[in-house]
Amino acid sequence: MSAAVRKSEPSGPSARGMARLSAVQAVFQLLQSDDKASDVVEQFLKFRIAEGGDAGMPAEADRPFFRSLVSGVEADQAALMALVEGALASDWKIARLDRLMRAVLVTGVHEMKARRDVPAAVILSEYARVAGQFYQGNEPGFVTSVLDRIGRQLRPDEFAARDAQTPKDG
């Protein structure tokens, strides 16, 4: 097989992409238990290493990034939940979302809020991809919509620059 053919083949998730998926699983665990982030992170790092990626965190995942996401969600959980609830339709409350969707959203919001080194567009697409790992319907679009609304609050300059570059229908 030539190098050109190999380059055109789709690649798997990045080390950070794998860390995001594992972080959402860890945050889900935090949301349904009284566990501390440090304990859940330790469990994922020591005992939930996945060969195929299903049972836990793949060995190639970016561990420091994973740790920062899970710890950050725990430290700022109330504010993150408030941001999510504020981005929902007026007749929706965050309690209406299942725990897994809450985990996807608060992890994405934390990254949007705390990781300015990651472009908002990357965060939007990555958490839509993560949602697609768990859901088969419109949920990835829902995640993108909610994170877009929150991103416009948290990073208005970045979104204004992105909007200015987007061609308008005319």
Side-chain angles (χ1 to χ4, degrees):
M1 182 178 279
S2 73
V5 173
R6 260 184 263 132
K7 272 185 157 179
S8 67
E9 291 176 358
S11 60
S14 67
R16 280 193 169 182
M18 289 182 262
R20 285 180 182 98
L21 180 61
S22 295
V24 166
Q25 292 170 319
V27 168
F28 174 78
Q29 186 173 332
L30 288 176
L31 294 178
Q32 66 178 15
S33 69
D34 292 329
D35 295 344
K36 297 282 182 214
S38 57
D39 295 335
V40 174
V41 166
E42 198 66 24
Q43 181 185 55
F44 269 75
L45 294 178
K46 286 190 173 180
F47 305 112
R48 292 190 60 188
I49 302 300
E51 292 299 319
D54 299 359
M57 185 165 41
E60 305 84 23
D62 182 333
R63 284 158 167 52
F65 189 69
F66 163 79
R67 185 183 304 272
S68 75
L69 291 176
V70 178
S71 299
V73 168
E74 180 187 54
D76 201 22
Q77 186 175 337
L80 298 172
M81 291 285 192
L83 282 167
V84 170
E85 189 157 82
L88 298 175
S90 61
D91 59 336
W92 274 57
K93 298 292 181 205
I94 198 165
R96 189 170 173 184
L97 303 176
D98 66 50
R99 281 193 188 112
L100 180 56
M101 181 55 69
R102 282 184 246 163
V104 171
L105 290 170
V106 296
T107 308
V109 172
H110 167 70
E111 188 170 346
M112 186 76 71
K113 187 176 179 183
R115 299 299 305 239
R116 298 288 177 152
D117 59 314
V118 180
V122 171
I123 294 169
L124 294 175
S125 67
E126 283 291 302
Y127 285 92
R129 182 188 61 77
V130 167
Q133 297 289 309
F134 298 109
Y135 298 100
Q136 302 301 311
N138 297 326
E139 290 85 355
F142 174 75
V143 166
T144 300
S145 176
V146 171
L147 291 179
D148 183 83
R149 281 188 215 117
I150 294 167
R152 289 175 184 284
Q153 291 176 299
L154 298 175
R155 300 183 182 190
D157 295 341
E158 188 176 345
F159 279 82
R162 190 183 84 177
D163 291 346
Q165 293 176 348
T166 303
K168 305 289 186 249
D169 290 339

